[in-house]
Amino acid sequence: MAARGSCTLWSYYGRGRSWAIWSGCIPYFCSSWHGAFLGARLLSQEKRATETHFGFETVSEEEKGGKVYQVFENVAKKYDVMNDMMSLGIHRVWKDLLLLKMHPFPGTKLLDVAGGTGDIAFRFLNYVQTQHQKKQKRQLRGQQNVSWEEIAKTYQNEEDSLGGSHVMICDINKEMLKVGKQKAIAQGYKAGLAWVLGDAEELPFDDDKFDVYTIAFGIRNVTHIDRALQEAHRVLKPGGRFLCLEFSQVNNPLMSRLYDLYSFQVIPVLGEVIAGDWKSYQYLVESIRRFPSQEEFKEMIEDAGFQKVTYENLTSGIVAIHSGFKL
């Protein structure tokens, strides 16, 4: 047997072939080779740890942030039109159902993340205003000897028409916020809303600040979903509610095949024809396929600290609404 640190060569020659087996090794060479191997392995693991997906493409985490930002900068002006075209208008029903599930009461403080164009925020304001007006009518009907002036003031106070409700719209993309602000002006929304540029993974708000956190069709685009969920939990008040409306996995085999065909063959074409941007809509389709299943996402929400987590499939699971509470 060869001593440790020595080098022995066993050779066998026959039929034009030769085999050589080295046993043992020179100490310096062995330790250097082993160190280099471990170093390469650690670098490989570190590289994998900082890699993520951008649709079906593998990119660095830093690169994904820039690519996603560029996508939404490109699609911002045609975002609402494309939503109607891609979903045949059904996205409006999905968002209405999100508000029905939320069922906000007057005085609710909502944080809508990745909500730059205002779709959820405007629905929220309409909903709480309707609820508050119903409450006011019940109160006025129950009062005796109310003057016309008092009744008029009740309906003319725009701030009070929301019952103290407020929505903060947070988005990382300036162009999306710009489109949302323009829509708010055009549609007459003034009171009860504010706009802030911010990252879902590092929200610029204090702890325990909001009653409800919503994110609609946005969380699949963040680089670290777990961090975004932890931030959602942090900024919600105890008893606050997390609601996420997102594309998910279709649970009907026939619907799934038709949906895949439509997604990959039609949506990018619509993007090119209407918005002049094939690649952005190709990414959006691919990003849906990379998003966790309903059960997997439910577990991620629970891991972030939320309790009583549930989900509801809409349109055979094309989208799902996940709900959880900070208790």
Side-chain angles (χ1 to χ4, degrees):
M1 180 178 290
R4 185 176 183 181
S6 66
C7 185
T8 304
L9 174 64
W10 298 84
S11 300
Y12 171 75
Y13 298 92
R15 296 187 181 181
R17 299 179 182 177
S18 66
W19 291 264
I21 303 174
W22 289 83
S23 65
C25 61
I26 300 171
Y28 175 77
F29 175 79
C30 182
S31 61
S32 298
W33 177 84
H34 187 255
F37 173 76
L38 286 178
R41 186 176 180 181
L42 288 172
L43 284 172
S44 177
Q45 290 175 342
E46 184 178 350
K47 182 180 179 182
R48 285 197 299 270
T50 58
E51 285 181 343
T52 186
H53 57 81
F54 175 76
F56 292 158
E57 181 184 355
T58 299
V59 298
S60 68
E61 292 180 348
E62 184 177 349
E63 189 179 5
K64 177 175 179 175
K67 282 179 171 288
V68 170
Y69 189 93
Q70 188 64 52
V71 164
F72 285 94
E73 190 172 59
N74 292 344
V75 305
K77 292 181 180 179
K78 297 289 185 179
Y79 187 76
D80 290 331
V81 174
M82 281 299 298
N83 278 347
D84 282 333
M85 294 298 295
M86 289 187 298
S87 71
L88 305 178
I90 299 175
H91 76 100
R92 297 174 181 270
V93 177
W94 295 334
K95 291 168 183 174
D96 289 341
L97 290 172
L98 178 68
L99 261 295
L100 288 174
K101 183 173 282 289
M102 185 195 305
H103 189 54
F105 51 85
T108 298
K109 300 296 186 289
L110 168 66
L111 173 62
D112 183 35
V113 176
T117 58
D119 270 10
I120 301 302
F122 301 155
R123 281 172 168 78
F124 168 79
L125 293 176
N126 291 340
Y127 193 97
V128 294
Q129 185 175 46
T130 299
Q131 294 299 312
H132 187 56
Q133 287 175 349
K134 289 179 179 178
K135 181 180 178 181
Q136 286 178 319
K137 287 178 181 179
R138 288 195 299 268
Q139 290 175 340
L140 289 171
R141 287 168 182 165
Q143 294 177 9
Q144 299 294 327
N145 302 320
V146 182
S147 69
W148 172 83
E149 185 179 3
E150 289 174 320
I151 295 174
K153 283 182 178 180
T154 298
Y155 286 96
Q156 289 172 2
N157 189 333
E158 188 175 2
E159 285 287 348
D160 190 56
S161 69
L162 299 173
S165 299
H166 188 273
V167 55
M168 180 72 71
I169 303 164
C170 179
D171 202 296
I172 198 171
N173 194 286
K174 293 179 181 179
E175 287 301 313
M176 295 291 280
L177 287 172
K178 182 179 177 181
V179 170
K181 290 176 182 178
Q182 291 171 346
K183 283 174 60 180
I185 293 171
Q187 297 178 28
Y189 293 101
K190 296 178 182 178
L193 78 166
W195 311 80
V196 63
L197 188 68
D199 187 345
E201 296 183 27
E202 194 173 352
L203 294 170
F205 307 111
D206 294 334
D207 297 355
D208 306 331
K209 187 174 179 65
F210 299 97
D211 299 301
V212 183
Y213 172 112
T214 54
I215 183 165
F217 305 118
I219 202 163
R220 75 180 189 280
N221 297 306
V222 304
T223 303
H224 304 98
I225 294 174
D226 55 341
R227 293 183 193 174
L229 292 172
Q230 289 163 9
E231 280 292 273
H233 189 272
R234 179 183 67 80
V235 300
L236 279 170
K237 298 175 183 177
R241 190 176 192 182
F242 168 86
L243 285 166
C244 176
L245 175 65
E246 187 55 88
F247 289 106
S248 200
Q249 292 190 4
V250 179
N251 52 29
N252 180 297
L254 177 59
M255 175 72 80
S256 180
R257 287 194 292 272
L258 293 173
Y259 179 52
D260 282 344
L261 181 65
Y262 178 76
S263 296
F264 288 99
Q265 301 300 322
V266 177
I267 289 178
V269 175
L270 288 174
E272 180 65 29
V273 172
I274 297 172
D277 191 344
W278 178 295
K279 289 185 178 180
S280 291
Y281 288 94
Q282 181 70 29
Y283 157 73
L284 292 174
V285 169
E286 292 176 0
S287 68
I288 294 169
R289 301 318 188 273
R290 297 300 300 263
F291 191 68
S293 69
Q294 289 91 325
E295 281 293 329
E296 290 170 335
F297 188 48
K298 177 177 179 287
E299 291 178 6
M300 294 178 73
I301 297 170
E302 291 171 337
D303 289 342
F306 288 100
Q307 298 182 42
K308 297 186 180 297
V309 180
T310 59
Y311 64 85
E312 178 184 358
N313 286 325
L314 306 177
T315 319
S316 298
I318 289 179
V319 301
I321 298 176
H322 280 75
S323 169
F325 293 87
K326 178 178 177 178
L327 301 178

